[in-house]
Amino acid sequence: MKKIELHLHLEGAAPPDFIRALAAEKRVDLPTIFDARGQYAYADFNDFLRVYEAATSILQGPRDYARLLAEVLERSAETGVIHTELFVSPEFCGGGDLAAWRDYLAAMTEVADQMRKQGIDSRGIVTCIRHFGADRARRSAVCAAETAGGWITGFGMGGAETTGRATDFAWSFDCAREAGLGLTCHAGEWGGPDSIRQALSLGVSRIGHGVRAIEDEALVRDLAERGTVLEVCPGSNIALGLWNSWDAHPIARLADAGVKVTVSTDDPPFFHTDMGKEYDRLADAFGWGEKDFLQINQWAAEAAFCDPETRDRLRKEFA
């Protein structure tokens, strides 16, 4: 069935064969980051970060990012995705420099426009990196604000949830809000329920992950009452050990409690998943059928960071 994905890291979606080919073109020797089958290999979360950083270090320059975006969108479309929203940071696209960021953005926007004609729409969510600190986050926020509109429709924060407090980044979120950007923030994955409350204080309409809200009944009720949408990535959570099985994952309990949940893949090749596999495993674990997935996509359509015309089109797709 057709699908909407709201939580996809562009660099984290780089297929292993794409990274190997790019490294070969650049004549760069990669460290040991692949298994015997050629897939990304890591032992634990810290090792995952090492592998992630080594793989994405190959991406240098606007042309690399344009090629990556085309590859990622093509693979998403193969799994039925018709609208996806990707996290991309000026930190990695020009080192936070606005002029350099514009060059990267121009290359990615050209690809996004071409892929839209092929049936998959996309939007970019500029992200600041939490563990880089609030001062550097301001540079990313300025890049977002100065290029808001067109492909860039959102602003968020990724990185280590346990570093500092989300409220330290209030200036950046205020800047993005004033530019008319939708707001989201990673929270409630490695950080507990309090990390979600901090993110909510920034005025976000969506939370990246947010699944550890299940540990706090009052917070679950608050999320349901606010209508806050969770960008849930079950396969990612299970691969990284937050839960040890699909039927133990809290997505169904959150939905049953009235929280608006959506489904995404986070960094799909690192977790050996795609949107089709996510839907299949959720169906197996919870008995979800067409009606349940239709509701998830309806919530995603309403929460998408897009223009009214695109939202109307998405509503019709999932009416």
Side-chain angles (χ1 to χ4, degrees):
M1 63 183 299
K2 294 177 180 178
K3 307 172 184 70
I4 297 173
E5 182 168 25
L6 299 181
H7 188 112
L8 182 63
H9 294 267
L10 179 55
E11 297 94 344
D17 53 353
F18 177 88
I19 292 297
R20 282 194 296 271
L22 196 58
E25 287 180 21
K26 298 175 182 289
R27 299 182 180 179
V28 173
D29 291 328
L30 287 168
T32 304
I33 59 174
F34 303 111
D35 62 19
R37 299 173 299 165
Q39 300 299 311
Y40 294 121
Y42 53 89
D44 52 29
F45 182 66
N46 287 333
D47 198 35
F48 160 74
L49 293 178
R50 176 190 68 83
V51 172
Y52 187 106
E53 291 170 2
T56 57
S57 68
I58 300 301
L59 298 165
Q60 300 171 356
R63 182 171 176 269
D64 288 352
Y65 271 80
R67 291 172 62 185
L68 174 61
L69 180 59
E71 182 78 15
V72 169
L73 291 179
E74 285 175 2
R75 297 201 180 204
S76 291
E78 289 171 358
T79 66
V81 177
I82 61 171
H83 178 94
T84 188
E85 299 189 356
L86 302 109
F87 297 112
V88 59
S89 178
E91 288 281 1
F92 307 129
C93 298
D97 177 75
L98 178 57
W101 164 245
R102 289 186 189 278
D103 290 339
Y104 279 83
L105 180 57
M108 290 185 284
T109 299
E110 182 178 355
V111 168
D113 290 343
Q114 293 170 352
M115 296 302 298
R116 187 175 299 115
K117 297 175 183 177
Q118 298 180 34
I120 180 166
D121 204 357
S122 65
R123 297 294 187 274
I125 301 174
V126 172
T127 50
C128 60
I129 310 301
R130 186 166 180 158
H131 53 272
F132 287 177
D135 288 340
R136 286 172 65 173
R138 292 186 179 208
R139 298 178 65 187
S140 291
V142 169
C143 286
E146 290 294 329
T147 57
W151 195 62
I152 296 300
T153 56
F155 180 78
M157 179 162 63
E161 288 180 26
T162 54
T163 299
R165 296 180 63 83
T167 48
D168 297 338
F169 299 83
W171 187 96
S172 294
F173 279 81
D174 288 344
C175 175
R177 182 186 302 106
E178 290 173 6
L181 293 167
L183 302 179
T184 182
C185 183
H186 283 56
E189 180 189 20
W190 299 102
D194 188 55
S195 71
I196 299 173
R197 290 192 174 89
Q198 290 176 39
L200 291 172
S201 73
L202 297 172
V204 301
S205 61
R206 294 169 17 190
I207 296 287
H209 296 289
V211 283
R212 289 188 59 189
I214 200 66
E215 300 170 11
D216 188 323
E217 291 183 7
L219 178 57
V220 171
R221 289 195 298 271
D222 188 30
L223 290 171
E225 290 171 3
R226 288 171 177 260
T228 304
V229 173
L230 303 187
E231 306 157 1
V232 184
C233 307
S236 166
N237 298 154
I238 293 164
L240 292 175
L242 272 72
W243 285 273
N244 58 16
S245 66
W246 281 81
D247 56 5
H249 194 278
I251 186 172
R253 284 177 285 158
L254 288 165
D256 289 344
V259 179
K260 296 178 178 180
V261 299
T262 61
V263 176
S264 295
T265 57
D266 204 9
D267 307 294
F270 287 87
F271 308 131
H272 310 295
T273 191
D274 58 43
M275 284 290 279
K277 291 177 181 177
E278 296 286 318
Y279 276 44
D280 288 345
R281 289 165 182 165
L282 289 168
D284 290 342
F286 304 116
W288 283 2
E290 185 176 348
K291 182 179 178 181
D292 302 285
F293 292 116
L294 179 63
Q295 177 65 85
I296 283 172
N297 282 294
Q298 288 172 337
W299 284 332
E302 294 300 327
F305 295 154
C306 61
D307 56 274
E309 181 181 351
T310 299
R311 194 181 315 283
D312 287 344
R313 179 177 56 78
L314 292 174
R315 285 170 176 157
K316 290 176 183 177
E317 291 282 2
F318 299 101

